[in-house]
Amino acid sequence: MPKPTKGARLGGGPAHERLMLANLAAALFTHKSIKTTETRAKRLRPVAERLVTFAKRGDLHARRRVLATIGDKTVVHELFTEIAPQVALRDGGYTRITKLGFRKGDNASMVQMELVLEPVSPKVKSNKASAKASAPVVEETVVEEAPEAEVVETEAVEADAAEAPVEEAK
């Protein structure tokens, strides 16, 4: 669980904040998307992602840990049976926060918080590894050729400079 902040806790004490975040998480899992203030969404994100991680484990102890936070058995059942399999391949980042603008009444920053349920496209690691392996070979050949050319030019310039003072002296 994330460490609670000092001072004001979203309009109440720590118990009120814990219950409000549990209700927001339940609404998020039920509707897959909620509209709330930016501050509440930022405080909800670690709580919701932790609950989804428990749901991905899927064992009885994880279910009881989630039930301790969210008291509604139907929401917990939906989280474990519908949401967890959809995010099974995802390694984190189960929520997305999109800014919507400001609320008319008090000018509070509003956001849309939603679950990221799209399938994960695996990153191709073999292409990057082979590209990195072939790139240093090309760079080494370029590096080896370039200093030789500079050395030859430098020697030629030094030879011209050495001959010039001799000619001036004559």
Side-chain angles (χ1 to χ4, degrees):
M1 184 86 179
K3 181 179 176 184
T5 59
K6 295 181 180 180
R9 290 180 170 87
L10 296 177
H16 180 258
E17 179 185 16
R18 190 170 47 251
L19 290 171
M20 185 168 43
L21 290 176
N23 287 334
L24 282 170
L28 178 65
F29 297 142
T30 302
H31 302 292
K32 311 292 190 278
S33 176
I34 57 173
K35 183 178 174 183
T36 184
T37 62
E38 185 176 3
T39 307
R40 286 180 182 173
K42 285 183 177 181
R43 296 295 287 275
L44 174 62
R45 174 177 263 173
V47 175
E49 297 215 1
R50 188 162 188 257
L51 294 175
V52 172
T53 304
F54 278 131
K56 282 175 60 175
R57 280 185 21 199
D59 58 350
L60 181 61
H61 182 62
R63 186 177 293 264
R64 287 179 176 164
R65 296 268 311 256
V66 173
L67 270 168
T69 303
I70 300 174
D72 192 0
K73 289 182 181 180
T74 58
V75 174
V76 174
H77 179 72
E78 184 176 349
L79 174 63
F80 275 75
T81 58
E82 295 177 17
I83 297 170
Q86 291 179 349
V87 296
L89 298 176
R90 190 174 291 276
D91 291 333
Y94 310 116
T95 58
R96 177 185 298 133
I97 296 176
T98 308
K99 294 186 178 185
L100 298 176
F102 298 97
R103 189 161 50 194
K104 186 176 178 183
D106 60 354
N107 206 30
S109 179
M110 298 299 288
V111 297
Q112 184 81 24
M113 187 170 188
E114 57 190 352
L115 291 173
V116 180
L117 300 175
E118 294 88 25
V120 179
S121 58
K123 294 183 179 178
V124 180
K125 295 180 181 179
S126 60
N127 290 344
K128 290 182 182 178
S130 63
K132 287 181 181 178
S134 63
V137 174
V138 174
E139 290 176 6
E140 289 176 5
T141 56
V142 172
V143 171
E144 290 174 3
E145 293 175 8
E148 292 174 5
E150 291 176 10
V151 171
V152 172
E153 291 174 11
T154 308
E155 290 175 1
V157 171
E158 289 175 0
D160 291 338
E163 292 176 7
V166 174
E167 292 176 288
E168 291 175 6
K170 291 180 183 177

